[in-house]
Amino acid sequence: MSDINQKAVALAEEAKTLVTVLPEPPADLPAVTPETAAADPEIAKRMAELDISSTQSIIKFGSGAQSRLTELSDQMLDGVRNKDVGPAGEDLREMVTTIRGFNTSELDPTRARSWWERLFASATPVAEFVARYESVQGQIDVITDNLLEHETVLLKDIKFLDRLYDETLNFYNEIGLYIQAGEAKMAELDSVTIPAKEAEAQAASEEDGVMKAQELRDIRAARDELERRVHDMKLTRTVTMQSLPSIRLVQENDKSLINKINSVLTNTVPLWKNQLAQGITMFRSQSAAKDIKGATDLTNDLLRKNAEVLQESNREVRTQMERGIFDVDAVKEANAKLIATVNESLEIADEGKRKRAEAEGELKKMEQELKETLAAAKARETGLAPAEG
């Protein structure tokens, strides 16, 4: 398994550990009374923060909890702002486009190549295809690295959102306690404090009546201010409750994107490489089959040629074997020439014999003439005339 696949699998396993069940926000707040509020230490603690005689105390009631919501919002904005990587969806689409743009049909050995390919192609189809594969593989590796970075960031986001959800839920519960404390305080004012002040104002003398009436108006004004403050916190609590499913939705989207990235890295890319390897192997097998077919055809052609040569040779050998040592025609021709030669020899011999006889007569004649010439010459030398015959 490659390093990229190992990293993708490791991130996928880490993503599985993040599939947690987030707690649901509680239902509507139960109604409280001063008695039940006093029995709950958390509500009683927050009621103690209220000073009805101080407007600032009412205005600031629950503001600490509300300020926490601002901090949570700032954290979420910072988390979004600190992302330096591009959207993972773009890289996923780019990878799909790159893989789809790689045409494996080019490996088909039966495919008719265009005149452009035949004119400029200097390498074999497999070599060209492998070269293109290596180029595309480089692009896939770059996109894969980007997707792994996206996945790492998404995992961090999910963990951050888990903490943000917990803190938001804690704030949601906290603001609920302040609302209950405020409502309990209003109930106390309505049932105890304000009726008591009303009784004091009615029982007061004319001199103290104005002061008591003013105190009653102040308490009622404080009560109305507290009611507005509680209403404002209820609105804040409602907005907070709406943000909880939003956080969970973002988490689910991030988890879905992580699953999609893992599926592409652990399934799509290896499957693509596997099919590509199979295609190259099949192409080479088909090429080898063509070579084997050519060799087989050559073998069959050689067998046919050898059979023809054997047939011709056998015909010639058998013909020569069946012939006699001497052909009759040759013997007849040789015999006729021999007879002609013998006759010619006899004729030549007779002609020679005749010519020798003629030559012999001529020799005798020349010999006689020579003798007579010599005798005549001798007689002149001695002064004797030759005797006439």
Side-chain angles (χ1 to χ4, degrees), residues 199 214 299 316:
Q214 184 60 45
T299 301
E316 182 66 23

Side-chain angles (χ1 to χ4, degrees), residues 36-53:
T36 58
D40 190 328
E42 293 297 327
I43 298 177
K45 175 183 176 182
R46 287 156 182 80
M47 285 181 66
E49 297 178 11
L50 273 172
D51 182 3
I52 295 301
S53 63

